[in-house]
């Protein structure tokens, strides 16, 4: 999918440079190259990414699997592991953080293209419906996206706020919800995902959604303004 934004996390410069060229040739937008986990987290917090390619064996500090766990905790950005290690122990550890894909080194352009296109297509397909089902008690309740103003984290629960009625309290994390939502829902705070259709005001340090003022960083403010076409 041309134009999708990808971050490379790879501690070997030559491999990263070759991978960057492959991605550019395929039409992807490489937003950066991180040599270690902390640099990757910093880049992700400063930029919007559609996918992260992560080498499992990073040179120092956290390895790629530990980094992936942190990415999963902070955002819904999918990640694909890069590794020359296909042993059962490595694969078992990798499976625990639910990667979207797995590329064994050495890989070629065709393999990179096929893996990334499938991951990105699956992510887009998951967002093409106009509703979700939420579990309320022992029942499943159908809720249209058009009715939802925001999702608010409440410990291990999430409050689903709607245009009418009390919020629905669902035992599912905000990160899990973020993976299911269409592009007009944006995470603006660690505790809030909001529906852009219900944004009422964007100020220097806050965004008001359906009457609720939520503090935001300057970076988030700029992302929201961009999505609103301002």
């Amino acid at each position: 999918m041309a134009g999708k934004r990808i971050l490379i996390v790879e501690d070997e410069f030559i491999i990263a440079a070759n991978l960057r060229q492959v991605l550019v040739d395929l039409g992807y937008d490489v937003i950066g190259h991180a040599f270690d986990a902390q640099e990757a987290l910093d880049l992700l917090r400063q930029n919007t990414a559609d996918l992260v390619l992560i080498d499992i064996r990073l040179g120092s500090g956290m390895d790629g699997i530990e980094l992936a766990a942190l990415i999963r905790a902070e955002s819904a950005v999918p990640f694909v592991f890069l590794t020359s290690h296909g042993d059962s122990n490595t694969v078992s550890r990798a499976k625990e953080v639910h990667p979207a894909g797995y590329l064994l080194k050495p890989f070629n352009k065709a393999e990179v293209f096929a893996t990334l296109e499938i991951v990105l297509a699956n992510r887009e397909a998951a967002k093409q419906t106009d509703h979700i089902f939420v579990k309320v008690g022992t029942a499943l309740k159908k809720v249209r996206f058009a009715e939802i103003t925001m999702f608010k984290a409440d410990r291990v629960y999430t409050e689903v706020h709607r245009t009418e009625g009390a919020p629905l309290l669902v035992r599912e994390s905000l990160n899990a919800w973020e993976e299911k939502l269409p592009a007009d829902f944006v995470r603006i705070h660690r505790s809030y995902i909001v529906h852009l259709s219900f944004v009422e005001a964007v100020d220097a340090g806050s965004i008001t959604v359906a009457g609720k003022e939520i503090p935001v960083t300057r970076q988030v403010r700029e992302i929201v303004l961009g999505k609103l076409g301002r």
Side-chain angles (χ1 to χ4, degrees), residues 26 68 89 100 109 114 137 143-144 146 151 160 182-183 206 214-215 218-219:
L26 291 172
N89 181 59
K109 183 183 289 189
V143 182
R144 290 173 55 84
F151 294 81
V160 183
S206 68
I214 304 168
R218 182 177 64 178
Q219 177 193 351

Side-chain angles (χ1 to χ4, degrees), residues 66-191:
E66 293 169 310
L67 168 61
L70 288 177
I71 292 174
R72 190 168 182 82
E74 289 192 10
S75 72
V77 179
F79 48 86
V80 170
F81 283 134
L82 312 172
T83 185
S84 55
H85 302 273
D87 60 277
S88 59
N89 181 59
T90 299
V91 173
S92 294
R93 285 189 62 222
K95 285 166 58 179
E96 292 177 0
V97 294
H98 307 293
Y102 203 96
L103 276 169
L104 281 175
K105 301 176 183 177
F107 39 77
N108 58 42
K109 183 183 289 189
E111 291 169 335
V112 172
F113 177 74
T115 299
L116 269 58
E117 288 295 291
I118 290 171
V119 168
L120 293 168
N122 286 342
R123 182 172 170 81
E124 290 300 316
K127 298 179 178 181
Q128 295 307 309
T129 181
D130 68 348
H131 65 273
I132 52 173
F133 282 94
V134 299
K135 190 173 183 180
V136 182
T138 59
L140 287 175
K141 181 178 178 62
K142 181 178 178 179
V143 182
R144 290 173 55 84
F145 288 130
E147 304 170 19
I148 300 173
T149 61
M150 70 181 75
F151 294 81
K152 179 184 177 184
D154 182 8
R155 298 186 298 277
V156 297
Y157 293 88
T158 296
E159 295 177 4
V160 183
H161 290 250
R162 301 169 293 159
T163 52
E164 296 183 6
L168 302 173
L169 190 62
V170 184
R171 190 179 177 84
E172 193 166 2
S173 72
L174 202 63
N175 289 339
W177 281 113
E178 192 173 7
E179 296 181 4
K180 306 174 184 179
L181 300 173
D184 51 353
F185 284 86
V186 179
R187 190 163 189 165
I188 65 170
H189 185 279
R190 65 182 180 181
S191 297

Side-chain angles (χ1 to χ4, degrees), residues 29-59:
D29 181 8
V30 179
I31 65 169
H33 164 216
F35 286 93
D36 57 39
Q38 188 55 58
E39 187 177 6
L41 291 172
D42 290 342
L43 284 168
L44 283 173
R45 290 163 182 162
Q46 296 165 12
N47 300 275
T48 301
D50 295 300
L51 187 144
V52 188
L53 295 173
I54 307 174
D55 183 17
I56 288 181
R57 299 293 176 90
L58 297 175

